[in-house]
Amino acid sequence: MSDVTIESSWREPLADLFRDPFFADLTQFIRSEYSHHRIYPPGSLIFNAFNLCPFPSVRVVIIGQDPYHNPGQAHGLSFSVPEGVPFPPSLRNIFREIESDTGNTPYRSGDLSRWAQQGVLLLNAILTVRENSPGSHQNRGWERFTDSVIEVISERHNNVVFMLWGRYAIDKGKSIDSSRHLILTAPHPSPLSASRGFFGSRHFSSCNSYLTSKGRKPVDWR
């Protein structure tokens, strides 16, 4: 795990977090897990969401739960998979809603790095997972870490769009200042819930309308 790094612009906003004893405990646990189990994503991609989306660039936050737990899928961005990997069901439904909402046909790739590079922070609440064991790194400290990330974005930025899909993400967003940011909520895009309100939510066009109204560049959601 010597190759674990986070983009430099995040270090000052998260400095108190990195100095907190809980983070040392989390780091020790994660190092042990990588030593004894197959963990996703690879260590160099744990902070991929941050590395592709520097702190000053953040204008949209999409919150997932934990990384994909099957081989070859997780690469540190919520809902995203590397180039050439078949789309998981939730991602397929996200693309379906984009096409319905905006009229744009999404790219064929499930690698959402193209969004991250436009200022979309694709943040999982938990940043690591054991192979074939969803939720295996819950309650080890990642939730506290990502709660603090959301809080510092809310406090230090203005006019950010937060997309909260499903009860877990909605609860995660309770610290967001709704007087300074746009909070969009909907059911999760998984096949179990997408038809209960994710489809037709029009979050992608709503996001761009808001950003434009604040003098900010819209996101190309393709």
Side-chain angles (χ1 to χ4, degrees):
M1 286 187 58
S2 59
D3 53 353
V4 177
T5 59
I6 192 166
E7 199 273 337
S8 60
S9 66
W10 287 95
R11 292 175 188 159
E12 187 276 325
L14 302 180
D16 289 345
L17 201 58
F18 291 134
R19 287 193 292 264
D20 194 292
F22 99 89
F23 192 77
D25 293 341
L26 171 61
T27 300
Q28 183 177 10
F29 167 73
I30 295 301
R31 288 184 183 280
S32 175
E33 286 288 287
Y34 274 89
S35 295
H36 295 95
H37 304 279
R38 184 163 292 175
I39 305 299
Y40 300 130
S44 61
L45 297 177
I46 291 175
F47 293 119
N48 198 26
F50 302 86
N51 294 336
L52 293 178
C53 182
F55 184 72
S57 302
V58 176
R59 54 198 175 114
V60 180
V61 179
I62 298 178
I63 299 174
Q65 191 160 353
D66 63 352
Y68 297 120
H69 55 86
N70 293 322
Q73 290 185 310
H75 67 141
L77 305 175
S78 61
F79 296 104
S80 178
V81 291
E83 181 78 29
V85 174
F87 302 163
S90 292
L91 182 57
R92 192 179 307 120
N93 286 339
I94 289 169
F95 285 157
R96 175 179 164 185
E97 174 61 16
I98 289 172
E99 187 166 4
S100 172
D101 180 16
T102 67
N104 295 328
T105 301
Y107 290 120
R108 295 179 182 274
S109 172
D111 183 347
L112 304 183
S113 298
R114 59 187 183 272
W115 296 359
Q117 291 162 349
Q118 297 179 72
V120 181
L121 183 66
L122 295 161
L123 180 67
N124 277 318
I126 302 161
L127 300 189
T128 54
V129 68
R130 281 189 195 178
E131 184 178 52
N132 299 324
S133 300
S136 50
H137 286 181
Q138 287 181 354
N139 302 317
R140 292 290 186 164
W142 279 132
E143 295 93 336
R144 180 173 171 184
F145 177 84
T146 51
D147 280 347
S148 296
V149 170
I150 293 166
E151 288 172 12
V152 78
I153 292 170
S154 178
E155 291 168 0
R156 297 202 185 191
H157 281 281
N158 289 302
N159 306 323
V160 172
V161 180
F162 290 85
M163 295 185 179
L164 310 180
W165 300 331
R167 177 53 51 191
Y168 185 90
I170 292 169
D171 287 345
K172 192 89 176 154
K174 287 181 177 178
S175 66
I176 300 166
D177 184 347
S178 60
S179 70
R180 297 171 60 181
H181 306 285
L182 177 63
I183 303 172
L184 300 174
T185 63
H188 194 276
S190 78
L192 297 175
S193 55
S195 61
R196 299 203 295 265
F198 178 79
F199 292 140
S201 61
R202 305 203 66 187
H203 280 188
F204 302 96
S205 60
S206 296
C207 170
N208 280 351
S209 294
Y210 177 82
L211 291 173
T212 301
S213 75
K214 300 300 182 182
R216 310 193 77 181
K217 187 177 179 180
V219 176
D220 181 353
W221 290 112
R222 289 176 295 172

